Amino acid sequence: MEKITKKEEELMEFFWERGPQFVRDIVDMYPDPKPHINTVSTMVRSLESKGYVDHKAYGNTFQYYAVVGREEFSRSTLKGVINKYFGNSFKNAISALVSDEELSAEDLKELLRQVEDQR
């Protein structure tokens, strides 16, 4: 999955939260000062070229919708972080969380139960 910018991810949140949108509707969702419609249109088209959104034509206007779900995006992003910062080792990532006391022994036991239940 091709990487997206923070602004594009922010835009994806609109699609995930509210479903299909026209560019004008997206602009209206932003707080003031709102971005220019051309800026939003460019970002949406960039997301489309990267395979995150698609569109349905209504005459001369397009309604865009997400084709990548939030969960799929989250998993892909997590895998990218683990690959980049932990040598593609989930074990190293979990170890770092334990070392930083972000993950407790109870959390680890629960994860182990989940793994065993999946077998």
Side-chain angles (χ1 to χ4, degrees):
M1 189 174 298
E2 192 172 341
K3 289 184 180 181
I4 61 174
T5 67
K6 290 287 183 194
K7 290 290 186 186
E8 289 171 334
E9 185 176 343
E10 182 180 290
L11 191 55
M12 285 301 297
E13 287 292 336
F14 292 139
F15 291 112
W16 291 327
E17 290 173 11
R18 301 181 186 193
Q21 299 292 321
F22 294 97
V23 172
R24 279 209 186 280
D25 296 331
I26 297 169
V27 171
D28 290 341
M29 288 182 228
Y30 279 95
D32 288 330
K34 296 183 185 310
H36 193 275
I37 192 167
N38 291 345
T39 301
V40 175
S41 180
T42 298
M43 288 192 312
V44 170
R45 283 183 279 125
S46 175
L47 285 170
E48 186 173 29
S49 72
K50 293 176 182 180
Y52 286 84
V53 300
D54 202 349
H55 72 270
K56 183 173 182 181
Y58 292 93
N60 291 336
T61 189
F62 300 117
Q63 184 181 45
Y64 294 90
Y65 56 92
V67 293
V68 173
R70 181 183 272 132
E71 185 174 322
E72 180 183 354
F73 176 76
S74 296
R75 288 178 187 266
S76 175
T77 301
L78 177 61
K79 287 177 183 177
V81 167
I82 289 171
N83 182 43
K84 183 175 182 177
Y85 297 106
F86 297 98
N88 206 28
S89 169
F90 283 81
K91 181 181 170 188
N92 288 348
I94 298 295
S95 179
L97 293 171
V98 170
S99 295
D100 292 345
E101 298 180 0
E102 299 289 336
L103 200 59
S104 69
E106 277 305 310
D107 293 333
L108 288 171
K109 288 176 187 175
E110 176 61 28
L111 287 171
L112 186 55
R113 279 192 288 275
Q114 288 177 8
V115 168
E116 290 171 349
D117 289 347
Q118 288 181 356
R119 289 184 181 172

